[in-house]
Amino acid sequence: MARIDARTLTRELLAFNTINPPGMERACARRLGAILEEAGYAVAYHEFAETRTSLIARIGGNGARLPICFTGHIDTVPLGAAPWSHDAFAGETDGDRVYGRGSTDMKSGIAAFIAAAVELAPRTARSPGVMLVITAGEEIGCEGARFLADRQLLEPAGALVIAEPTANYPYIGHKGLAWFEVETRGVTAHGSMPEVGDNAIVKMAHAIGDLERFRFPIESHAVMGKPTLNVGTIRGGLNTNSVPDEARITIDTRTVPGIDHVHLCKSLAALLAPRGATVRKIVDCAPLYTEPDHEWVQRVFAACAPYSGGKPAPKTITFSTDGSDLKRGFGGAIPAVVLGPGEPKLAHQTDEWASMDRIDQSVDLFRTLMRDWCSV
Ligand SMILES: [Zn+2]
Protein backbone atom coordinates (compact mmCIF):
# COMPACT_ATOMS: atom_id res chain seq x y z
CA MET A 1 0.00 0.00 0.00
CA ALA A 2 1.44 3.33 -1.09
CA ARG A 3 1.55 5.82 1.73
CA ILE A 4 -0.42 9.01 1.15
CA ASP A 5 1.37 12.25 1.94
CA ALA A 6 -1.30 14.70 3.08
CA ARG A 7 0.63 17.76 1.84
CA THR A 8 0.98 16.26 -1.61
CA LEU A 9 -2.65 15.15 -1.70
CA THR A 10 -3.80 18.65 -0.65
CA ARG A 11 -1.90 20.13 -3.60
CA GLU A 12 -3.33 17.52 -5.94
CA LEU A 13 -6.88 18.26 -4.77
CA LEU A 14 -6.38 21.98 -5.32
CA ALA A 15 -5.88 21.31 -9.03
CA PHE A 16 -9.51 20.16 -9.34
CA ASN A 17 -11.64 23.24 -9.95
CA THR A 18 -14.63 22.56 -7.70
CA ILE A 19 -15.83 26.14 -7.36
CA ASN A 20 -19.50 26.12 -6.41
CA PRO A 21 -21.43 27.17 -8.39
CA PRO A 22 -21.28 25.06 -10.51
CA GLY A 23 -19.34 22.62 -8.27
CA MET A 24 -18.58 19.81 -10.74
CA GLU A 25 -17.11 17.66 -7.98
CA ARG A 26 -17.24 14.35 -9.91
CA ALA A 27 -13.59 14.13 -11.04
CA CYS A 28 -12.28 15.07 -7.60
CA ALA A 29 -14.62 12.60 -5.88
CA ARG A 30 -13.60 9.79 -8.29
CA ARG A 31 -9.91 10.43 -7.62
CA LEU A 32 -10.43 10.18 -3.86
CA GLY A 33 -12.60 7.11 -4.30
CA ALA A 34 -9.85 5.41 -6.32
CA ILE A 35 -7.28 6.06 -3.57
CA LEU A 36 -9.61 4.66 -0.94
CA GLU A 37 -10.60 1.60 -2.97
CA GLU A 38 -6.96 0.75 -3.47
CA ALA A 39 -6.52 0.90 0.30
CA GLY A 40 -9.35 -1.58 0.81
CA TYR A 41 -12.30 0.73 1.37
CA ALA A 42 -15.74 -0.02 -0.08
CA VAL A 43 -16.74 3.15 -1.94
CA ALA A 44 -20.18 4.31 -3.07
CA TYR A 45 -20.82 7.45 -5.13
CA HIS A 46 -24.02 9.46 -4.85
CA GLU A 47 -24.92 12.37 -7.15
CA PHE A 48 -27.63 14.83 -6.11
CA ALA A 49 -27.37 16.31 -9.63
CA GLU A 50 -25.27 15.72 -12.77
CA THR A 51 -21.51 15.88 -11.84
CA ARG A 52 -22.37 16.73 -8.22
CA THR A 53 -20.72 13.71 -6.66
CA SER A 54 -20.43 12.82 -2.97
CA LEU A 55 -18.86 9.59 -1.80
CA ILE A 56 -19.16 7.32 1.20
CA ALA A 57 -16.22 5.02 1.94
CA ARG A 58 -16.22 2.30 4.57
CA ILE A 59 -13.75 -0.15 6.02
CA GLY A 60 -14.11 -2.68 8.83
CA GLY A 61 -17.24 -2.99 10.90
CA ASN A 62 -16.85 -5.92 13.31
CA GLY A 63 -19.96 -4.95 15.22
CA ALA A 64 -18.16 -4.25 18.51
CA ARG A 65 -19.33 -0.66 18.19
CA LEU A 66 -20.39 1.67 15.37
CA PRO A 67 -17.65 3.10 13.11
CA ILE A 68 -16.11 6.53 13.56
CA CYS A 69 -16.93 8.94 10.74
CA PHE A 70 -14.80 11.71 9.26
CA THR A 71 -16.37 14.18 6.86
CA GLY A 72 -15.38 17.00 4.53
CA HIS A 73 -16.70 18.84 1.48
CA ILE A 74 -14.82 19.05 -1.81
CA ASP A 75 -16.57 22.09 -3.27
CA THR A 76 -15.14 25.56 -2.73
CA VAL A 77 -16.42 29.13 -2.93
CA PRO A 78 -15.58 31.33 -5.97
CA LEU A 79 -12.29 33.22 -6.18
CA GLY A 80 -13.85 36.65 -5.61
CA ALA A 81 -13.20 39.87 -7.52
CA ALA A 82 -9.76 40.72 -6.10
CA PRO A 83 -6.73 39.32 -7.95
CA TRP A 84 -4.79 36.50 -6.29
CA SER A 85 -1.03 36.79 -5.84
CA HIS A 86 -0.73 32.98 -6.15
CA ASP A 87 -2.32 30.63 -8.67
CA ALA A 88 -5.53 29.42 -7.02
CA PHE A 89 -5.25 25.91 -8.51
CA ALA A 90 -1.52 25.15 -8.76
CA GLY A 91 -0.82 24.27 -5.13
CA GLU A 92 1.99 26.84 -4.92
CA THR A 93 3.96 26.73 -1.69
CA ASP A 94 5.86 29.43 0.14
CA GLY A 95 7.62 28.37 3.33
CA ASP A 96 5.07 26.53 5.45
CA ARG A 97 2.12 27.71 3.38
CA VAL A 98 0.29 25.99 0.57
CA TYR A 99 -1.89 28.44 -1.37
CA GLY A 100 -5.07 27.83 -3.30
CA ARG A 101 -8.84 27.98 -3.28
CA GLY A 102 -9.95 25.27 -0.89
CA SER A 103 -6.54 24.89 0.78
CA THR A 104 -8.00 25.91 4.14
CA ASP A 105 -11.69 25.25 3.42
CA MET A 106 -11.25 22.34 3.27
CA LYS A 107 -9.22 20.15 0.95
CA SER A 108 -6.36 20.01 3.47
CA GLY A 109 -8.77 18.54 6.04
CA ILE A 110 -9.87 15.86 3.58
CA ALA A 111 -6.28 15.07 2.62
CA ALA A 112 -5.36 14.71 6.31
CA PHE A 113 -8.10 12.22 7.19
CA ILE A 114 -7.50 10.26 3.99
CA ALA A 115 -3.78 9.99 4.77
CA ALA A 116 -4.57 8.65 8.24
CA ALA A 117 -7.37 6.38 6.97
CA VAL A 118 -5.19 4.80 4.25
CA GLU A 119 -2.24 4.25 6.57
CA LEU A 120 -4.43 2.50 9.17
CA ALA A 121 -6.56 0.56 6.67
CA PRO A 122 -4.88 -2.84 7.26
CA ARG A 123 -5.66 -2.53 10.96
CA THR A 124 -9.07 -0.86 10.87
CA ALA A 125 -10.30 -3.53 8.43
CA ARG A 126 -10.65 -5.83 11.45
CA SER A 127 -12.12 -3.28 13.84
CA PRO A 128 -15.38 -1.36 14.44
CA GLY A 129 -14.29 0.53 11.37
CA VAL A 130 -13.94 3.93 9.77
CA MET A 131 -16.42 5.71 7.53
CA LEU A 132 -15.51 8.68 5.36
CA VAL A 133 -18.26 10.90 4.00
CA ILE A 134 -16.94 13.32 1.38
CA THR A 135 -19.61 15.68 0.15
CA ALA A 136 -20.35 17.87 -2.83
CA GLY A 137 -22.31 21.10 -2.64
CA GLU A 138 -21.67 22.15 0.95
CA GLU A 139 -21.06 25.81 0.24
CA ILE A 140 -24.60 26.43 -1.00
CA GLY A 141 -27.02 24.99 1.55
CA CYS A 142 -25.26 21.68 2.32
CA GLU A 143 -26.91 20.10 -0.73
CA GLY A 144 -24.77 16.95 -0.85
CA ALA A 145 -25.10 16.12 2.85
CA ARG A 146 -28.82 16.88 2.78
CA PHE A 147 -29.27 14.51 -0.15
CA LEU A 148 -27.45 11.71 1.69
CA ALA A 149 -29.56 12.27 4.81
CA ASP A 150 -32.90 12.68 3.01
CA ARG A 151 -32.35 9.55 0.90
CA GLN A 152 -31.22 7.59 3.97
CA LEU A 153 -27.93 6.68 2.32
CA LEU A 154 -25.96 6.95 5.56
CA GLU A 155 -25.52 3.90 7.74
CA PRO A 156 -25.15 4.65 11.46
CA ALA A 157 -21.90 5.99 12.84
CA GLY A 158 -20.81 6.30 16.45
CA ALA A 159 -18.96 9.64 16.38
CA LEU A 160 -18.36 12.39 13.83
CA VAL A 161 -15.31 14.53 13.06
CA ILE A 162 -15.99 17.43 10.68
CA ALA A 163 -12.60 18.45 9.30
CA GLU A 164 -13.49 22.09 8.58
CA PRO A 165 -10.82 24.72 9.29
CA THR A 166 -10.22 25.14 13.03
CA ALA A 167 -6.41 25.32 13.16
CA ASN A 168 -6.67 21.95 14.94
CA TYR A 169 -8.73 23.29 17.84
CA PRO A 170 -11.66 20.98 18.66
CA TYR A 171 -14.96 22.87 18.58
CA ILE A 172 -18.03 21.14 19.98
CA GLY A 173 -20.54 22.53 17.56
CA HIS A 174 -21.99 25.60 15.95
CA LYS A 175 -25.18 27.63 15.89
CA GLY A 176 -28.06 26.75 13.63
CA LEU A 177 -28.92 28.91 10.69
CA ALA A 178 -32.44 29.71 9.53
CA TRP A 179 -33.15 32.23 6.76
CA PHE A 180 -36.58 33.67 6.10
CA GLU A 181 -38.19 35.73 3.39
CA VAL A 182 -40.82 38.23 4.49
CA GLU A 183 -43.25 39.67 1.98
CA THR A 184 -45.78 42.49 2.16
CA ARG A 185 -48.36 43.20 -0.50
CA GLY A 186 -50.29 46.37 -1.27
CA VAL A 187 -52.19 48.11 -4.04
CA THR A 188 -50.40 50.20 -6.63
CA ALA A 189 -51.54 53.69 -7.59
CA HIS A 190 -50.10 56.82 -9.18
CA GLY A 191 -47.53 58.46 -6.95
CA SER A 192 -49.51 61.70 -7.02
CA MET A 193 -52.49 59.95 -5.38
CA PRO A 194 -51.04 57.70 -2.65
CA GLU A 195 -54.35 57.80 -0.77
CA VAL A 196 -55.95 55.46 -3.33
CA GLY A 197 -53.14 52.91 -3.05
CA ASP A 198 -51.82 50.70 -0.27
CA ASN A 199 -48.07 51.05 0.23
CA ALA A 200 -46.24 47.71 0.67
CA ILE A 201 -42.95 49.41 1.59
CA VAL A 202 -44.55 51.35 4.45
CA LYS A 203 -46.03 48.09 5.74
CA MET A 204 -42.59 46.51 5.55
CA ALA A 205 -41.02 49.43 7.41
CA HIS A 206 -43.42 48.77 10.28
CA ALA A 207 -42.69 45.04 10.08
CA ILE A 208 -38.95 45.72 10.37
CA GLY A 209 -39.67 47.91 13.39
CA ASP A 210 -41.56 44.99 14.94
CA LEU A 211 -38.59 42.69 14.32
CA GLU A 212 -36.50 44.94 16.57
CA ARG A 213 -38.76 43.78 19.41
CA PHE A 214 -38.49 40.07 18.59
CA ARG A 215 -37.33 37.87 21.44
CA PHE A 216 -36.06 34.32 20.89
CA PRO A 217 -37.58 31.65 23.15
CA ILE A 218 -34.09 30.92 24.50
CA GLU A 219 -32.12 34.06 25.31
CA SER A 220 -28.68 32.54 25.62
CA HIS A 221 -26.75 29.26 25.54
CA ALA A 222 -24.00 28.46 28.02
CA VAL A 223 -21.33 27.94 25.32
CA MET A 224 -22.78 29.47 22.13
CA GLY A 225 -24.07 32.71 23.59
CA LYS A 226 -27.10 34.54 22.22
CA PRO A 227 -29.13 33.72 19.12
CA THR A 228 -29.11 36.56 16.59
CA LEU A 229 -31.35 38.09 13.94
CA ASN A 230 -30.20 40.24 11.02
CA VAL A 231 -32.25 41.81 8.23
CA GLY A 232 -29.96 41.15 5.27
CA THR A 233 -31.76 42.41 2.16
CA ILE A 234 -34.66 44.68 1.27
CA ARG A 235 -36.38 45.09 -2.07
CA GLY A 236 -39.54 46.89 -3.11
CA GLY A 237 -41.09 49.33 -5.52
CA LEU A 238 -40.70 49.75 -9.25
CA ASN A 239 -40.38 53.49 -9.71
CA THR A 240 -40.50 56.66 -7.68
CA ASN A 241 -43.88 57.83 -8.97
CA SER A 242 -45.88 54.71 -8.09
CA VAL A 243 -47.24 53.31 -4.85
CA PRO A 244 -45.37 50.01 -4.40
CA ASP A 245 -47.57 46.94 -4.23
CA GLU A 246 -44.84 44.53 -3.12
CA ALA A 247 -41.85 44.54 -0.76
CA ARG A 248 -39.54 41.80 0.44
CA ILE A 249 -36.84 41.38 3.02
CA THR A 250 -34.69 38.43 3.94
CA ILE A 251 -33.72 37.66 7.52
CA ASP A 252 -30.74 35.65 8.74
CA THR A 253 -31.20 34.09 12.17
CA ARG A 254 -28.49 32.13 14.00
CA THR A 255 -29.98 29.85 16.59
CA VAL A 256 -28.89 27.83 19.62
CA PRO A 257 -29.96 24.33 20.72
CA GLY A 258 -33.57 24.28 21.90
CA ILE A 259 -34.84 26.70 19.24
CA ASP A 260 -36.95 24.81 16.73
CA HIS A 261 -36.85 26.41 13.27
CA VAL A 262 -40.44 25.53 12.36
CA HIS A 263 -41.61 27.08 15.60
CA LEU A 264 -39.36 30.09 14.97
CA CYS A 265 -40.98 30.60 11.56
CA LYS A 266 -44.43 30.51 13.17
CA SER A 267 -43.39 33.01 15.85
CA LEU A 268 -42.08 35.45 13.25
CA ALA A 269 -45.24 35.01 11.17
CA ALA A 270 -47.42 35.71 14.21
CA LEU A 271 -45.41 38.81 15.08
CA LEU A 272 -45.62 40.26 11.57
CA ALA A 273 -49.16 39.16 10.62
CA PRO A 274 -50.75 42.39 11.94
CA ARG A 275 -48.63 44.25 9.33
CA GLY A 276 -50.02 42.03 6.58
CA ALA A 277 -46.63 40.35 6.16
CA THR A 278 -46.12 36.68 5.30
CA VAL A 279 -43.02 34.70 6.35
CA ARG A 280 -41.41 31.79 4.55
CA LYS A 281 -38.37 29.75 5.60
CA ILE A 282 -35.82 29.59 2.76
CA VAL A 283 -32.69 28.03 4.33
CA ASP A 284 -32.54 25.71 7.31
CA CYS A 285 -29.51 24.22 9.06
CA ALA A 286 -29.96 22.95 12.61
CA PRO A 287 -27.54 23.78 15.44
CA LEU A 288 -24.85 21.21 16.15
CA TYR A 289 -23.82 20.62 19.74
CA THR A 290 -22.25 17.97 21.93
CA GLU A 291 -21.90 18.42 25.68
CA PRO A 292 -18.25 19.06 26.54
CA ASP A 293 -18.30 16.46 29.30
CA HIS A 294 -19.19 13.68 26.83
CA GLU A 295 -16.66 10.90 27.31
CA TRP A 296 -15.49 10.85 23.67
CA VAL A 297 -15.26 14.64 23.50
CA GLN A 298 -12.97 14.48 26.53
CA ARG A 299 -10.78 11.99 24.68
CA VAL A 300 -10.68 14.33 21.65
CA PHE A 301 -9.74 17.22 23.93
CA ALA A 302 -6.92 15.15 25.43
CA ALA A 303 -5.64 14.25 21.94
CA CYS A 304 -5.73 17.91 20.85
CA ALA A 305 -4.12 19.30 23.99
CA PRO A 306 -0.54 19.17 22.63
CA TYR A 307 -1.62 21.32 19.65
CA SER A 308 -3.88 23.70 21.58
CA GLY A 309 -1.47 24.93 24.22
CA GLY A 310 -3.13 22.83 26.93
CA LYS A 311 -6.50 21.20 27.45
CA PRO A 312 -9.08 22.86 25.18
CA ALA A 313 -11.92 24.86 26.70
CA PRO A 314 -15.45 24.18 25.38
CA LYS A 315 -16.10 26.48 22.41
CA THR A 316 -18.31 26.51 19.33
CA ILE A 317 -17.35 27.81 15.91
CA THR A 318 -19.08 30.66 14.06
CA PHE A 319 -19.75 28.99 10.69
CA SER A 320 -22.16 26.13 10.05
CA THR A 321 -21.29 22.74 8.54
CA ASP A 322 -22.60 19.55 6.93
CA GLY A 323 -22.55 18.11 10.46
CA SER A 324 -26.18 18.97 11.20
CA ASP A 325 -27.54 17.13 8.18
CA LEU A 326 -25.17 14.18 8.57
CA LYS A 327 -26.07 13.78 12.22
CA ARG A 328 -29.74 13.69 11.22
CA GLY A 329 -28.83 11.11 8.55
CA PHE A 330 -27.05 8.98 11.14
CA GLY A 331 -30.28 8.90 13.03
CA GLY A 332 -29.61 10.98 16.06
CA ALA A 333 -27.57 11.87 19.02
CA ILE A 334 -23.99 11.03 18.19
CA PRO A 335 -21.12 13.16 19.47
CA ALA A 336 -19.50 15.46 16.90
CA VAL A 337 -16.53 17.80 16.84
CA VAL A 338 -15.37 20.32 14.24
CA LEU A 339 -11.62 19.81 13.91
CA GLY A 340 -9.34 20.41 10.94
CA PRO A 341 -6.01 21.87 9.84
CA GLY A 342 -7.23 24.93 7.89
CA GLU A 343 -7.07 28.45 9.26
CA PRO A 344 -10.62 29.56 10.15
CA LYS A 345 -9.84 33.22 9.40
CA LEU A 346 -8.73 32.41 5.84
CA ALA A 347 -11.82 30.52 4.69
CA HIS A 348 -13.31 32.11 1.56
CA GLN A 349 -10.54 34.75 1.40
CA THR A 350 -8.33 35.90 -1.45
CA ASP A 351 -4.93 34.13 -1.25
CA GLU A 352 -6.36 31.42 1.03
CA TRP A 353 -3.60 29.18 2.37
CA ALA A 354 -3.07 26.32 4.79
CA SER A 355 -0.11 25.59 7.04
CA MET A 356 1.65 22.39 6.01
CA ASP A 357 2.82 21.81 9.58
CA ARG A 358 -0.80 21.91 10.70
CA ILE A 359 -1.74 19.44 7.95
CA ASP A 360 0.86 17.02 9.34
CA GLN A 361 -0.45 17.63 12.87
CA SER A 362 -3.95 16.82 11.64
CA VAL A 363 -2.78 13.51 10.24
CA ASP A 364 -1.31 12.69 13.66
CA LEU A 365 -4.50 13.75 15.42
CA PHE A 366 -6.83 11.88 13.08
CA ARG A 367 -4.64 8.78 13.31
CA THR A 368 -4.85 9.00 17.12
CA LEU A 369 -8.65 9.37 17.03
CA MET A 370 -9.08 6.45 14.61
CA ARG A 371 -6.80 4.18 16.63
CA ASP A 372 -8.45 5.17 19.89
CA TRP A 373 -11.98 4.55 18.54
CA CYS A 374 -11.11 1.28 16.82
CA SER A 375 -8.68 0.01 19.51
CA VAL A 376 -6.00 -0.74 16.91
ZN1 LIG B 1 -16.10 24.56 4.59
Side-chain angles (χ1 to χ4, degrees):
M1 166 49 51
R3 220 180 148 93
I4 299 292
D5 177 70
R7 297 178 176 207
T8 308
L9 182 57
T10 301
R11 297 176 65 199
E12 186 186 339
L13 296 180
L14 292 172
F16 291 95
N17 180 341
T18 50
I19 288 174
N20 179 13
M24 295 198 297
E25 296 91 340
R26 185 184 283 157
C28 186
R30 293 268 166 185
R31 171 69 185 127
L32 293 174
I35 292 171
L36 291 164
E37 266 177 352
E38 199 191 326
Y41 275 76
V43 174
Y45 299 96
H46 301 286
E47 298 198 337
F48 69 84
E50 182 69 16
T51 75
R52 309 303 308 277
T53 314
S54 301
L55 71 100
I56 301 174
R58 292 188 183 86
I59 197 164
N62 64 8
R65 66 194 304 197
L66 292 170
I68 186 169
C69 178
F70 287 74
T71 188
H73 62 85
I74 44 180
D75 61 319
T76 72
V77 292
L79 299 183
W84 284 51
S85 57
H86 294 268
D87 189 314
F89 302 103
E92 288 177 10
T93 59
D94 184 3
D96 178 46
R97 297 177 175 184
V98 54
Y99 285 87
R101 179 51 94 217
S103 53
T104 257
D105 185 11
M106 55 171 288
K107 288 173 171 171
S108 57
I110 292 173
F113 69 63
I114 286 188
V118 167
E119 180 192 325
L120 291 175
R123 289 193 253 181
T124 52
R126 293 182 303 278
S127 82
V130 175
M131 184 192 312
L132 309 178
V133 178
I134 297 169
T135 61
E138 189 270 350
E139 294 288 2
I140 301 180
C142 299
E143 292 173 287
R146 184 154 299 176
F147 179 83
L148 297 176
D150 290 348
R151 299 289 175 99
Q152 300 184 335
L153 295 164
L154 295 158
E155 285 172 26
L160 178 62
V161 177
I162 304 145
E164 290 271 11
T166 71
N168 289 338
Y169 192 96
Y171 291 85
I172 53 174
H174 53 72
K175 285 180 177 173
L177 171 160
W179 293 358
F180 302 94
E181 185 182 71
V182 180
E183 185 182 277
T184 52
R185 296 247 172 202
V187 177
T188 192
H190 194 280
S192 65
M193 296 177 288
E195 67 279 5
V196 300
D198 181 18
N199 192 313
I201 290 179
V202 172
K203 286 182 186 175
M204 186 60 83
H206 288 301
I208 293 170
D210 293 344
L211 285 173
E212 298 276 295
R213 293 189 284 108
F214 182 72
R215 292 286 170 267
F216 285 95
I218 292 174
E219 276 185 23
S220 189
H221 179 273
V223 177
M224 291 188 187
K226 294 177 192 296
T228 60
L229 182 153
N230 180 56
V231 178
T233 68
I234 181 163
R235 285 189 183 80
L238 292 172
N239 49 10
T240 307
N241 58 349
S242 293
V243 176
D245 61 355
E246 190 179 84
R248 282 201 176 92
I249 60 170
T250 52
I251 303 172
D252 177 355
T253 66
R254 304 296 169 116
T255 62
V256 300
I259 297 179
D260 176 77
H261 290 176
V262 173
H263 185 261
L264 177 59
C265 187
K266 286 183 182 156
S267 302
L268 290 168
L271 174 72
L272 303 181
R275 304 298 187 186
T278 56
V279 180
R280 185 169 72 88
K281 182 152 58 73
I282 51 176
V283 172
D284 186 347
C285 175
L288 183 78
Y289 187 67
T290 306
E291 292 293 345
D293 58 3
H294 188 285
E295 187 261 335
W296 178 71
V297 170
Q298 288 296 316
R299 296 170 87 87
V300 176
F301 279 10
C304 293
Y307 309 104
S308 308
K311 195 180 171 208
K315 287 185 200 174
T316 51
I317 199 138
T318 53
F319 53 77
S320 62
T321 72
D322 277 339
S324 311
D325 282 302
L326 294 179
K327 200 165 158 174
R328 174 169 61 86
F330 290 136
I334 63 166
V337 294
V338 188
L339 171 65
E343 306 292 322
K345 286 191 202 79
L346 292 172
H348 301 195
Q349 303 244 344
T350 304
D351 287 331
E352 175 184 350
W353 55 266
S355 153
M356 290 187 281
D357 281 346
R358 277 215 214 285
I359 295 172
D360 294 344
Q361 288 172 6
S362 260
V363 179
D364 286 344
L365 261 174
F366 294 161
R367 190 194 294 115
T368 300
L369 297 181
M370 286 176 194
R371 294 189 62 177
D372 179 56
W373 184 268
C374 296
S375 305
V376 294

